Amino acid sequence: MELLKNRITKDGKVIGSDVLKVDSFLNHQIDVKLFKEIGKEFKKRFDKKEITKILTIESSGIGIACITAQYFDVPVVFAKKHAGTNMDKDSFQSEVFSFTKGKSYNVRVSKKYILPEDKVLIIDDFLANANAASGLIDIINQADAKVVGVGIVIEKGFQQGRKIIEDQNIQLESLAIIESMRDGKIVFKN
Ligand code: 5GP
């Protein structure tokens, strides 16, 4: 997706050797016009699939998932990282290792919101080593629902995520794939 790649080149900042900061349009300030184009692109790529729900993880995935859901006309469910007192006790749970924080945490989804008849599209902002996506796949499997695909805004193609998802025969669509980020220079694959 050219519009997205151009924006990453213009505003992305490489931190160390493997973290990309895109706070000015994706992870802190949100460019809603760009998100609309991202949503339309996901709709194009998964148009042939039957989808009844979009699943993401709080917090950065929520905005992208909500705008994307408008094009599929389905609800969004987000996995919660913090189980407050108002969280349903009856929930699916999975442990996720956070690439950016370097520690594990549990994510939870109430059993009310993923049902065995659901056909679920997973949406997230980044794909690194597929820990977040694997946690969401685990929750969908626990619910006996079907994983229809994984839609990612920015994939770091030099990490292991793609292999982990494709090895499970799940359709993976990433709108920008970064091949390398050496010396702060972002090189795209597609
Ligand atoms: P994974 O679970 O695939 O290893 O990492 C993906 C998750 O970690 C995403 O949900 C995203 O929030 C975060 N993440 C991984 N790599 C990056 C990165 O380079 N930049 C940002 N902003 N977030 C990342």
Side-chain angles (χ1 to χ4, degrees), residues 87-98:
M87 178 78 206
D88 284 339
K89 295 278 169 288
D90 211 10
S91 60
F92 303 115
Q93 191 171 315
S94 192
E95 193 179 82
V96 170
F97 178 79
S98 166

Side-chain angles (χ1 to χ4, degrees), residues 18-22 27 57 60 96-97 99-100 124-133 156 159 181:
D18 56 5
V19 172
L20 179 66
K21 195 167 167 174
V22 283
N27 290 132
I57 194 161
S60 291
V96 170
F97 178 79
F99 177 78
T100 45
D124 204 6
D125 57 346
F126 273 88
L127 182 69
N129 294 313
N131 291 298
K156 290 180 291 177
Q159 293 176 299
M181 306 199 298

